[in-house]
Amino acid sequence: MTASTESTGPGTGTTKAPAKDPWDLPDVSGLVVGVLGGTGDQGRGLAYRLARAGQQVIIGSRAAERARTAAAELGLGVEGADNAECARRSDIVIVAVPWEGHGATLEALREELTGKLVVDCVNPLGFDKQGAYALKPEEGSAAQQAAALLPESRVTAAFHHLSAVLLSDPEVEEIDTDVMVLGEKRADTDLVQALAARIPGMRGVFAGRLRNAHQVESLVANLISTNRRYKAHAGLRVTDV
C-alpha cells in the first residue's frame, strides 16, 4: 500500500480512492451557453457577463428578431435566435424566463432540451403592497417543475440571487457573490459551479439536491426587501467553505 491509498478494512486487500477535491472543477470555456429569456433583465445580464468572460452565448426569445436585436446591442459575439434554435445549439441552457411563462416555455422545448444541461434560475414570486413574497409551485419549486417537464434533460438550479443591475453595468468589474447550485448529479453541478466561476468575483457553491430549491428561490423575496431598505444590490456569501 502506498502513502496515497487507504485500506477499506482489515484483510480486504482493497484500497479507497482519495476524496475528490470539491473545488476541482471542469473546464467549461468551450461550451456554448444559451439563455432562454435572454432579452429580459436577468437573462440579458447573465448573457453579458458570460460573454464578457469569453463564453460563447446565444440569447433565446419567443421572437427571433427581438433576440437578435438584444444580441447586437450586447456585442461580444453574442448571437440571437428563437428559443427552439437557442436550445438546440447550446450545450448548457439557462432558463431565465418570467415565472408566469415558465411551464409553457419548457413544455414546448422538451424535444430541443433533451440531453441538455438545463440551469433554472427562475424565482416564483408574488408582489403586493407589502412587497415581494414567495410562491410555492405544485411541484415544490420552479426547478422541480422544470425537472418534471423535462425528464430527458439534466436539470439543475442556480443564479437566483444576482442583481440584474450589477450584471448589466459595464463599469462593474467584479460581482462579489456566491451562487448556490443545486442538482441531482455531481458532474452536472460541477459544470454549473465552473460556469459561475467564469464571472469575476463569483463562486459556485453546491447547495443540495433539487428538493431544496424552494428555499433558495424564495430567499430572493428577502433580498428584494433588503435592497429596498438599504438602496443596495445585495448578494450572498457562504462562509467557511
Side-chain angles (χ1 to χ4, degrees):
M1 183 182 297
T2 67
S4 61
T5 59
E6 179 182 342
S7 175
T8 57
T12 64
T14 60
T15 58
K16 182 178 180 181
K20 185 177 184 292
D21 181 352
W23 299 112
D24 181 15
L25 301 173
D27 179 9
V28 296
S29 60
L31 300 181
V32 178
V33 178
V35 184
L36 303 180
T39 58
D41 292 342
Q42 192 79 355
R44 185 185 177 104
L46 278 168
Y48 170 68
R49 285 291 158 179
L50 290 169
R52 182 167 161 170
Q55 209 76 33
Q56 184 178 347
V57 177
I58 303 172
I59 284 177
S61 176
R62 287 178 296 176
E65 188 57 39
R66 184 180 178 191
R68 285 192 285 267
T69 298
E73 291 171 351
L74 288 178
L76 300 170
V78 177
E79 298 181 59
D82 63 40
N83 282 331
E85 181 182 348
C86 173
R88 279 194 301 269
R89 293 178 55 198
S90 301
D91 301 303
I92 301 176
V93 180
I94 298 174
V95 181
V97 300
W99 165 240
E100 293 75 14
H102 181 263
T105 298
L106 296 184
E107 191 169 20
L109 296 172
R110 182 176 296 162
E111 181 178 346
E112 290 82 0
L113 291 171
T114 295
K116 306 287 184 177
L117 176 56
V118 175
V119 187
D120 201 297
C121 69
V122 175
N123 302 303
L125 298 175
F127 295 86
D128 60 19
K129 292 181 179 179
Q130 298 182 60
Y133 60 95
L135 304 174
K136 189 163 187 178
E138 182 179 347
E139 298 84 355
S141 64
Q144 288 170 293
Q145 183 183 85
L149 291 170
L150 305 172
E152 302 301 322
S153 302
R154 297 140 54 206
V155 177
T156 60
F159 300 117
H160 300 91
H161 306 137
L162 306 180
S163 163
V165 173
L166 294 183
L167 288 172
S168 299
D169 188 345
E171 300 299 317
V172 175
E173 296 294 331
E174 297 187 1
I175 299 181
D176 181 24
T177 192
D178 284 335
V179 172
M180 310 286 276
V181 181
L182 303 98
E184 301 304 317
K185 295 183 178 179
R186 178 164 183 171
D188 293 337
T189 56
D190 279 358
L191 284 169
V192 180
Q193 286 181 253
L195 186 65
R198 295 276 287 160
I199 300 174
M202 277 192 201
R203 182 181 65 159
V205 179
F206 176 70
R209 294 179 178 268
L210 288 185
R211 68 181 184 180
N212 293 319
H214 172 65
Q215 56 264 37
V216 174
E217 296 169 1
S218 299
L219 188 58
V220 175
N222 302 87
L223 288 176
I224 290 172
S225 298
T226 299
N227 289 334
R228 286 181 174 174
R229 173 65 63 89
Y230 298 104
K231 311 298 182 189
H233 303 294
L236 296 178
R237 276 295 186 200
V238 180
T239 62
D240 201 34
V241 292

